[in-house]
């Protein structure tokens, strides 16, 4: 039996490695593009007859999807974030969900966070736009700040947050504070980071960088009230998920000068179109969710996804299952 593998809404999976050829040994590989807001039922019909799905950051795989589609046995996320997958519903339907282990994307995202931080601190993008537009003479507007000796607050001291802390403290002499209710003070102290409460972090940091997952708890963790606690003229960096920030509140704070600059790899809705008010502001730099976009990271991602699919074909458990409890119930198997 040759199986069917759908690569959904991902132009990058397999684009820089031989993974698609490798997967063709397992079955037919089809690239499918669906609207990012497609309904669960419609998505289920697009994926009829597919046993394997390589799932990107969109669309949403919700309860309706898992109820309506009975063919998919493995949903392999070609990334870290699981916020577009209803993992509970997958488990209830017996679908195994895998993701890429943190270390595969860690360096790529951490380095982009630091790049964005430096861009914001020195207005690199804004200054370059000025040069391109023939405004070289405006250079006196681009007075920056140095990272050395500054305080950076990390919200979410996990895989990526820790690496950012390491780069900043060892490379730039930055004092690092972190807010993470799920790790111990010792775990932070051991890597030279002071664990604190959210309010203290916001009050004391010159730069706040977000590295927490998007959950009910972290949704709009940066909002009107929390921005009010931040230092005047501070910088916000977000390479985690757009939903962590209330965009309306951010725009206001950037306009008023409360925040000096925002550097974002992710935005609410995971997409910026031309009318977006953020694009009207000079003190913003935005990259289009390219945190994990390095050749090194893609190599690791493609390898992990292929391994997961091959394991299921062999009747084995993939290495990076996010819902291991699925094996306690009626896990879907290849028919
Ligand atoms: P991780 O799970 O290793 O770390 C996340 C940390 O956030 C954990 O230590 C957790 O305890 C902490 N956390 C959870 N709830 C929190 C809360 N309410 N307040 C503060 N901290 C909280 O994840 P990671 O691999 O470090 O990824 C971090 C983020 O980066 C995720 O949002 C992920 O989706 C995102 N990400 C973005 C890209 C990109 O392309 N920009 C790529 C990979 C990951």
């Amino acid at each position: 039996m040759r199986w069917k593998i759908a690569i959904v809404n991902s132009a990058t999976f397999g684009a820089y490695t031989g993974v698609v050829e490798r997967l063709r040994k397992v079955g037919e590989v089809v690239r499918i593009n669906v609207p990012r807001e497609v309904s669960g039922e419609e998505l289920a019909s697009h994926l009829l007859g597919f046993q394997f799905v390589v799932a990107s950051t969109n669309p949403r795989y919700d309860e309706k999807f898992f109820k309506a589609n009975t063919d998919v046995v493995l949903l392999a996320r070609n990334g870290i974030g699981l916020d577009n997958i209803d993992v509970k519903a997958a488990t209830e339907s017996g679908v195994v969900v895998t993701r890429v282990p943190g270390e595969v994307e860690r360096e790529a995202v951490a380095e982009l966070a630091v790049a964005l931080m430096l861009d914001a601190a020195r207005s690199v993008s804004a200054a370059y736009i000025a040069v391109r537009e023939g405004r070289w003479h405006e250079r006196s507007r681009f007075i920056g700040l140095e990272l050395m000796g500054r305080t950076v607050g990390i919200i979410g001291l996990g895989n990526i947050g820790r690496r950012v802390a390491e780069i900043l403290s060892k490379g730039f002499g930055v004092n690092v504070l972190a807010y993470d209710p799920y790790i111990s003070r010792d775990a932070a102290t051991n890597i030279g980071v002071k664990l604190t409460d959210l309010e203290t972090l916001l009050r004391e940091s010159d730069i706040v960088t977000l590295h927490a997952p998007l959950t009910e708890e972290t949704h709009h963790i940066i909002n009107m009230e929390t921005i009010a606690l931040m230092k005047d003229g501070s910088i916000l960096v977000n390479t985690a998920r757009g939903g962590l920030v209330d965009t309306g509140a951010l725009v206001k704070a950037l306009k008023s000068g409360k925040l000096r600059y925002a550097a974002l790899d992710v935005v609410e809705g995971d997409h910026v179109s031309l009318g977006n008010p953020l694009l009207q502001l000079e003190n913003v730099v935005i990259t289009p969710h390219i945190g994990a976009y390095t050749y090194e990271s893609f190599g690791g991602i493609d390898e992990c996804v292929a391994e997961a699919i091959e394991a299921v074909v062999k009747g084995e458990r993939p290495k990076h299952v996010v819902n291991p409890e699925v094996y306690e119930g009626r896990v879907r198997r290849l028919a």
Side-chain angles (χ1 to χ4, degrees):
M1 173 82 179
R2 278 176 59 75
W3 309 111
K4 284 184 79 177
I5 301 158
I7 302 169
V8 181
N9 285 10
S10 176
T12 54
F13 179 77
Y16 307 97
T17 67
V19 76
V20 172
E21 276 312 304
R22 175 171 162 186
L23 289 176
R24 286 207 175 106
K25 296 193 180 106
V26 170
E28 185 185 350
V29 181
V30 183
R31 288 192 184 273
I32 295 180
N33 289 308
V34 298
R36 56 178 55 236
E37 302 300 341
V38 70
S39 71
E41 287 101 336
E42 208 182 316
L43 181 60
S45 68
H46 282 293
L47 294 174
L48 276 182
F50 285 90
Q51 293 77 30
F52 299 99
V53 173
V54 180
S56 186
T57 48
N58 70 83
R60 273 198 69 70
Y61 296 83
D62 60 9
E63 192 178 359
K64 287 185 176 143
F65 166 78
F66 289 107
K67 288 222 164 105
N69 181 301
T70 53
D71 294 330
V72 173
V73 301
L74 171 72
L75 200 75
R77 194 39 209 101
N78 65 330
I80 293 181
L82 292 165
D83 42 282
N84 62 319
I85 299 171
D86 186 336
V87 176
K88 188 165 163 275
T91 307
E92 281 162 12
S93 295
V95 178
V96 177
V97 180
T98 57
R99 67 164 216 170
V100 167
E103 65 266 20
V104 171
E105 297 188 0
R106 177 195 300 144
E107 195 60 33
V109 184
E111 288 184 17
L112 185 73
V114 175
L116 287 172
M117 211 172 278
L118 288 166
D119 188 312
R122 301 300 301 274
S123 310
V124 175
S125 295
Y128 176 53
I129 290 169
V131 171
R132 282 193 68 139
E133 293 178 350
R135 293 184 283 119
W136 183 285
H137 57 278
E138 287 186 15
R139 69 196 181 101
S140 62
R141 289 177 52 228
F142 302 114
I143 312 300
L145 48 91
E146 295 174 15
L147 294 193
M148 168 77 95
R150 298 266 174 189
T151 299
V152 174
I154 296 183
I155 298 184
L157 195 63
N159 168 51
I160 297 165
R162 281 167 207 235
R163 179 65 185 132
V164 170
E166 187 178 43
I167 298 171
L168 291 177
S169 56
K170 290 192 179 158
F172 291 91
V174 159
N175 308 312
V176 183
L177 299 179
Y179 167 66
D180 188 324
Y182 301 104
I183 67 162
S184 69
R185 195 162 295 275
D186 283 353
T189 312
N190 290 343
I191 55 167
V193 174
K194 190 173 162 207
L195 202 62
T196 177
D197 57 278
L198 181 60
E199 185 171 335
T200 308
L201 179 142
L202 295 169
R203 284 191 194 285
E204 294 186 3
S205 299
D206 300 293
I207 299 172
V208 172
T209 180
L210 307 180
H211 300 287
L214 176 60
T215 61
E216 276 178 24
E217 213 177 39
T218 61
H219 179 255
H220 285 188
I221 193 165
I222 300 298
N223 55 43
M224 204 92 93
E225 288 76 36
T226 49
I227 288 174
L229 298 172
M230 291 173 72
K231 271 193 184 178
D232 290 348
S234 57
I235 290 171
L236 178 71
V237 179
N238 188 7
T239 55
R241 282 291 180 267
L244 268 63
V245 178
D246 176 344
T247 311
L250 177 64
V251 168
K252 269 196 190 148
L254 288 165
K255 274 188 179 161
S256 70
K258 167 71 189 174
L259 293 186
R260 170 191 164 88
Y261 220 101
L264 315 169
D265 184 48
V266 286
V267 290
E268 279 194 284
D270 201 29
H271 176 70
V272 165
S273 44
L274 281 179
N276 191 304
L278 285 168
L279 298 186
Q280 311 303 316
L281 304 170
E282 195 185 36
N283 49 347
V284 177
V285 57
I286 306 177
T287 49
H289 201 159
I290 55 166
Y293 282 25
T294 62
Y295 294 110
E296 293 85 348
S297 164
F298 281 148
I301 291 170
D302 289 5
E303 177 66 29
C304 285
V305 169
E307 261 180 26
I309 293 173
E310 288 164 355
V312 172
V313 169
K314 284 190 241 159
E316 295 167 4
R317 269 189 203 204
K319 278 193 207 147
H320 306 291
V321 175
V322 295
N323 57 344
E325 61 282 9
V326 71
Y327 288 100
E328 288 157 24
R330 262 196 286 153
V331 61
R332 282 189 201 165
R333 306 234 178 236
L334 292 170

